[in-house]
Each structure stands twice: as structure tokens, then as C-alpha cells.
Amino acid sequence: MAREKIRIKKIDNLTARQVTFSKRRRGIIKKANELSILCDADVALIIFSATGKLFEFSSSSMRDILGRYNLHASNINKMMGPPSPYHQLENCNLSRLSKEVEDKTKQLRQMRGEDLEGLNLEELQRLEKSLESGLSRVSEKKGECVMSQISSLEKRGSELVDENRRLREQLVTLEMAKTMALKEAVETESATTNVSSYDSAAPIEDDFSDTSLKLGLPSWE
């Protein structure tokens, strides 16, 4: 079964990051030492931790190796000729921007509560004041969002009340129409019943008169 490839990204947990740094630092120093022994190479390794602590390894004298490196870099620069004013300005701006990025990155880590080991009391107090100011602005923004949500809910509640009132008025109108229709139906049915009763009663009186005449009884009229 193939080993799962580990995704390389910054470790957020401070403790885990420090443990990983310690293990990997020892590992890379071990590899550098093996490279110098196996290949008879001059190897120099310089490591700065996130807190600025220096770690180094050299297969021989670090000063001699760095001297050889500086000499090699100087020879390359001579072969390339003097840098133009434009390149000098560009390098200066690049160095300044790199320093600003490094400072801002370190400041951001400190605001997250990381890399606080090298700070003195005054620096910690400034950091605390900055965090309190930021927290105050966050609280104000949160309050504005809450008030906006409350206003929206109140507006929606008012709309629901108006809609409920309209529905009640429509229901009352429908009930009144239903009552009027039922009343008219009852009156119509009652009138029809009365007319039918009158029509059925008239022939009975005529039959009674005819029977009286046949029997020789006096008429009631």
C-alpha cells in the first residue's frame, strides 16, 4: 500500500510546530553530515527559528566555508559587471519590502499569541494594548451588526402584523358574505314553502262544499 503524501503547509498549533521544527532540524543536520562524509564535500548549514534563534552546522570551519562562498559570489559579481542604478534601487526596494513583510508576519504571529518568548515587558504591554484596541473595534462592529439584525426583525414583525390584520379583515368579510347568503337561502326556502301550503289547501275547501251540496247540507257561506 502506497504511503500517503503529507501536504506541506504551515502548522497552526504552536506546540506541534515547535516539536516538528526540532525533529526536522535534527534530521536535516544529520543529512548534511552524511552528505559531507559520503561525498567528501564541504557543507555549511544555517537555520534561524521563527523566534530568531540560530542553529548551524559545518563539516569544517564555518568561517572558512563562508569565506569561500563570499569570494565565489564576489567573483560572479565582477564577471557580471557593476549593477546599474536601476538594479541597485530595485534591490534596495526588494530588501526593504522583504524586511517589512518579515516584520508584519512576526507581528501577526505575536497577535495570535505565538512567538512571544523574546518580548520584554514593554513590548508585551504594547501588544496587549493593540489587541484591546482591536477587540474594541470588533465589539463595536458586532454591536452594529446586532442592531441591524434587530431592526430588520422589527420591520419584518411589523409587516407580519399588518398582513395578519389584512387576513383577519378578509376572514370577517367572507363570514359576513356567507351569513348573508345563508339568510337569503333560508328566506327563499320559507317563501317557497308558504306558497306550496296555500296552493294545496284550496282544493280541500272546494271538495268539502261539493260534498255538502250532494248530501243536502246547508252551506257555510
Side-chain angles (χ1 to χ4, degrees):
M1 183 176 180
R3 185 177 180 182
E4 183 179 357
K5 187 177 180 181
I6 300 176
R7 182 183 177 187
I8 301 299
K9 65 176 184 177
K10 181 181 176 181
I11 302 174
D12 295 328
N13 184 274
L14 178 60
T15 302
R17 185 164 70 245
Q18 290 176 342
V19 172
T20 301
F21 173 78
S22 179
K23 290 182 179 179
R24 300 250 176 166
R25 173 176 53 81
R26 289 195 298 266
I28 195 173
I29 290 176
K30 180 180 178 182
K31 292 295 183 181
N33 184 42
E34 292 175 354
L35 177 64
S36 67
I37 295 174
L38 293 173
C39 302
D40 192 23
D42 286 334
V43 179
L45 180 64
I46 299 175
I47 302 173
F48 285 98
S49 69
T51 58
K53 188 175 181 180
L54 171 65
F55 300 90
E56 63 181 55
F57 165 81
S58 61
S59 57
S60 59
S61 170
M62 177 66 77
R63 184 183 298 274
D64 292 343
I65 294 177
L66 291 179
R68 290 174 58 188
Y69 170 78
N70 291 330
L71 179 62
H72 182 72
S74 177
N75 291 333
I76 292 178
N77 290 333
K78 288 180 180 179
M79 292 175 60
M80 296 178 62
S84 64
Y86 172 76
H87 287 142
Q88 290 179 349
L89 179 61
E90 185 178 10
N91 292 334
C92 180
N93 291 335
L94 181 61
S95 299
R96 179 176 57 82
L97 291 175
S98 299
K99 184 65 169 59
E100 290 180 0
V101 170
E102 181 181 356
D103 293 341
K104 294 299 183 182
T105 302
K106 185 175 182 180
Q107 183 180 2
L108 180 60
R109 291 200 302 268
Q110 291 174 347
M111 294 185 70
R112 291 201 301 251
E114 304 172 2
D115 302 338
L116 302 177
E117 292 81 0
L119 299 180
N120 55 32
L121 179 58
E122 183 179 356
E123 291 172 336
L124 289 173
Q125 288 176 342
R126 285 201 303 268
L127 178 60
E128 182 182 16
K129 185 176 180 181
S130 176
L131 290 173
E132 288 177 351
S133 177
L135 182 60
S136 176
R137 289 193 295 269
V138 170
S139 299
E140 291 177 359
K141 186 63 177 179
K142 180 181 178 181
E144 293 177 359
C145 292
V146 170
M147 293 302 296
S148 177
Q149 291 181 355
I150 291 175
S151 178
S152 298
L153 291 174
E154 290 177 346
K155 182 179 179 181
R156 180 55 181 163
S158 177
E159 292 176 352
L160 290 175
V161 170
D162 293 339
E163 183 177 358
N164 190 26
R165 178 179 53 79
R166 288 193 298 269
L167 290 174
R168 284 200 304 268
E169 291 176 353
Q170 292 177 2
L171 181 60
V172 170
T173 302
L174 290 175
E175 289 292 337
M176 291 177 62
K178 182 179 178 181
T179 302
M180 292 295 295
L182 181 60
K183 183 178 179 182
E184 291 177 356
V186 171
E187 291 177 351
T188 302
E189 183 178 359
S190 177
T192 303
T193 302
N194 291 336
V195 171
S196 299
S197 299
Y198 176 79
D199 292 341
S200 60
I204 295 176
E205 184 177 354
D206 293 341
D207 292 343
F208 179 77
S209 300
D210 293 343
T211 303
S212 300
L213 291 173
K214 290 179 181 180
L215 294 177
L217 298 175
S219 175
W220 293 100
E221 295 181 359

